Amino acid sequence: MLICHTIKEIRDFVRQARSRGLTVGFVPTMGYFHEGHLTLMRRAKEACDVVVVSIFVNPLQFGPREDYDRYPRDLDRDVSLAREVGVDAIFHPSVEEMYPPGFATHVDVEGLTECLCGLSRPGHFRGVATVVTKLFNIVRPDRAFFGQKDAQQALVIRRMVEDLNMDLEIVTVPTVREEDGLAMSSRNVYLSPEERRAATVLPRSLQAARRAYESGERDAGRLVELVRGMIAAEPRAVIDYVEIRSIPDLKPVSRLDGPALLALAVRFGSTRLIDNLVLGSPDGVL
Ligand code: PAF
């Protein structure tokens, strides 16, 4: 497995693969791999001849009071996990390589980014869209793989790819969960044992909403109240938002007549967790 630190190195690697007629799958990450990342890599391997994974904690998508400095990092462990999965190349650039002095161009996706996480994390999706555009331009993949846990991010990236005529396919992969249902996230390591136990209210509340939906409930307000009520009963949980919005344009909905996203963000101590449920889509995938 090749480890590239410069844009030139990874470009040369991809150019060679393409000249041999191979397809390129790409998994952009911020590292500190868990089973969710490894699942994305396995999906990429199934679908493409060559798999490139980027590891870059992107400063542009963190707010000034967010966890950029303490975001967990362990490159050696990530490299050996990626090797086990059969990844062909890792792209691990420095901040200076990605944002050299004078860097001045950003990508803004309007509308979709002005709700849910966009409200509590101003600038976050601008940072994501900018770095993902750069990574797509550097790697030039045929397909890129994103987890459904970050559903708003996946929808923003799909919109951007369509609007800017980027020539690749975006594949969304279902959320991978711990045995007790908590969605896997690199940020789960921040939770104290008590917070970790309390956080299981998130998947439990989403399951309750799914059951209510399957029993015929189509009133968005009542589904939201069900989830909010369960989470509010957990003293360690502080709700940022629980909302139901349409897929793919994330407009508010009052009745669920088509595919919809029940999305939530909840704080446990200083850790903010997100999770979601896709309703009204045949396979539950975005
Ligand atoms: O989902 C993530 O890990 C990041 O937002 C991404 C897509 C790698 C961009 O930095």
Side-chain angles (χ1 to χ4, degrees):
M1 186 178 71
L2 188 69
I3 301 173
C4 306
H5 296 281
T6 66
I7 294 169
K8 180 177 178 333
E9 282 172 297
I10 193 70
R11 277 203 165 138
D12 287 348
F13 171 82
V14 173
R15 202 171 284 130
Q16 274 181 27
R18 286 200 171 288
S19 70
R20 290 164 52 213
L22 303 177
T23 56
V24 179
F26 178 45
V27 183
T29 81
M30 298 206 298
Y32 208 69
F33 295 157
H34 51 67
E35 199 47 42
H37 297 110
L38 304 181
T39 302
L40 296 178
M41 295 173 207
R42 289 192 198 102
R43 278 291 300 275
K45 269 204 82 70
E46 281 161 21
C48 305
D49 300 318
V50 163
V51 174
V52 175
V53 172
S54 63
I55 300 177
F56 180 62
V57 185
N58 172 34
L60 230 56
Q61 69 188 74
F62 289 79
R65 279 181 301 281
E66 291 187 353
D67 55 344
Y68 174 69
D69 288 329
R70 70 169 185 140
Y71 194 84
R73 295 159 166 92
D74 189 342
L75 183 63
D76 291 344
R77 181 175 159 275
D78 287 350
V79 164
S80 66
L81 288 170
R83 190 175 277 125
E84 276 171 34
V85 173
V87 166
D88 298 278
I90 295 235
F91 177 46
H92 179 55
S94 64
V95 172
E96 295 70 36
E97 181 76 4
M98 291 297 278
Y99 303 118
F103 178 85
T105 305
H106 296 86
V107 180
D108 271 312
V109 179
E110 293 173 357
L112 284 179
T113 58
E114 285 144 28
C115 61
L116 305 178
C117 287
L119 283 183
S120 33
R121 303 189 69 190
H124 169 68
F125 288 114
R126 181 185 213 225
V128 170
T130 302
V131 79
V132 170
T133 299
K134 283 176 68 74
L135 291 166
F136 286 173
N137 283 336
I138 292 164
V139 177
R140 299 196 160 272
D142 297 283
R143 295 192 183 92
F145 297 78
F146 292 87
Q148 186 162 305
K149 196 200 61 142
D150 297 292
Q152 187 175 13
Q153 168 173 282
L155 292 171
V156 166
I157 289 166
R158 274 182 196 276
R159 181 79 258 160
M160 174 184 91
V161 163
E162 197 176 321
D163 290 352
L164 299 183
N165 309 97
M166 295 178 176
D167 190 13
L168 78 159
E169 184 192 341
I170 300 299
V171 182
T172 316
V173 178
T175 304
V176 179
R177 296 179 180 279
E178 304 284 355
E179 253 176 41
D180 61 9
L182 186 68
M184 288 200 183
S185 163
S186 303
R187 291 191 167 98
N188 289 352
V189 294
Y190 299 152
L191 298 167
S192 70
E194 297 73 27
E195 290 165 351
R196 173 65 187 78
R197 269 192 294 278
T200 61
V201 72
L202 304 185
R204 281 189 281 112
S205 67
L206 292 177
Q207 280 156 21
R210 180 185 292 289
R211 283 194 298 273
Y213 179 84
E214 282 167 359
S215 309
E217 181 61 85
R218 293 292 181 274
D219 184 280
R222 280 203 288 269
L223 287 167
V224 165
E225 268 326 297
L226 172 68
V227 172
R228 289 190 77 92
M230 284 181 70
I231 298 174
E234 167 49 62
R236 289 179 199 273
V238 178
I239 295 176
D240 180 350
Y241 65 76
V242 178
E243 287 189 44
I244 298 186
R245 290 189 168 247
S246 61
I247 295 173
D249 49 4
L250 295 182
K251 294 266 195 297
V253 289
S254 48
R255 271 200 75 74
L256 280 79
D257 299 321
L261 182 73
L262 196 174
L264 55 80
V266 177
R267 284 178 201 280
F268 294 86
S270 60
T271 309
R272 182 176 175 279
L273 300 181
I274 57 171
D275 202 347
N276 65 75
L277 178 65
V278 171
L279 295 166
S281 124
D283 51 4
V285 181
L286 274 180

XYZ file of all heavy atoms in Angstrom, residues 12 45 57 69 87 100 102 136 146 178 257 266 275:
104
model
N 0.149 10.973 -9.484
C 0.931 10.044 -10.318
C 0.398 8.627 -10.161
O 0.247 7.891 -11.139
C 2.417 10.080 -9.920
C 3.097 11.362 -10.388
O 2.478 12.094 -11.198
O 4.222 11.637 -9.933
N -13.826 -1.361 -2.512
C -13.056 -2.462 -3.119
C -13.943 -3.348 -3.985
O -13.528 -3.814 -5.039
C -12.411 -3.320 -2.019
C -11.039 -2.861 -1.649
C -10.197 -3.965 -1.052
C -9.561 -4.876 -2.075
N -8.487 -4.286 -2.867
N -7.552 15.735 8.563
C -8.430 16.445 9.488
C -8.471 17.887 8.981
O -7.493 18.627 9.104
C -7.930 16.347 10.953
C -8.941 17.004 11.889
C -7.711 14.890 11.357
N -8.322 20.673 17.417
C -7.040 20.306 18.029
C -7.099 18.955 18.713
O -6.135 18.205 18.687
C -6.610 21.375 19.052
C -6.168 22.640 18.340
O -5.648 22.505 17.209
O -6.382 23.740 18.882
N -6.655 -1.643 0.909
C -6.607 -0.316 0.266
C -5.294 -0.209 -0.517
O -4.260 -0.729 -0.096
C -6.704 0.787 1.361
C -6.332 2.150 0.825
C -8.100 0.776 1.962
N -2.158 26.080 0.831
C -0.910 26.861 0.855
C -1.210 28.347 1.056
O -2.353 28.767 0.863
C -0.316 26.598 -0.541
C -1.441 26.097 -1.378
C -2.476 25.514 -0.478
N -2.087 31.996 0.596
C -2.775 32.619 -0.542
C -4.051 31.889 -0.940
O -4.814 32.398 -1.759
N -11.636 15.616 -4.749
C -12.122 15.029 -6.006
C -11.236 15.472 -7.176
O -10.927 14.688 -8.070
C -13.575 15.436 -6.276
C -14.603 14.740 -5.420
C -15.946 15.127 -5.471
C -14.268 13.686 -4.578
C -16.913 14.483 -4.699
C -15.228 13.041 -3.794
C -16.551 13.447 -3.858
N -19.536 7.562 0.937
C -19.818 8.364 2.139
C -20.795 7.604 3.022
O -21.686 6.911 2.524
C -20.434 9.713 1.753
C -19.462 10.620 1.043
C -19.301 10.541 -0.334
C -18.689 11.526 1.745
C -18.395 11.360 -0.997
C -17.783 12.354 1.090
C -17.635 12.267 -0.276
N -22.673 0.150 16.795
C -22.168 -0.716 17.867
C -23.266 -1.733 18.200
O -24.406 -1.569 17.771
C -21.854 0.111 19.127
C -20.879 1.248 18.917
C -19.427 0.789 18.790
O -19.150 -0.413 18.957
O -18.586 1.651 18.493
N -45.191 12.010 3.128
C -45.787 11.412 1.941
C -44.727 10.854 1.005
O -45.037 10.126 0.077
C -46.618 12.463 1.178
C -47.743 12.991 2.056
O -48.329 12.178 2.796
O -48.002 14.214 2.036
N -27.432 15.729 19.350
C -27.640 15.779 20.802
C -26.271 15.826 21.477
O -25.350 15.122 21.058
C -28.426 14.522 21.276
C -28.586 14.513 22.789
C -29.799 14.459 20.590
N -27.238 11.481 14.501
C -27.730 10.190 13.997
C -28.976 10.494 13.171
O -29.491 11.629 13.184
C -28.049 9.236 15.165
C -28.038 7.762 14.726
O -28.027 7.480 13.499
O -28.059 6.895 15.620
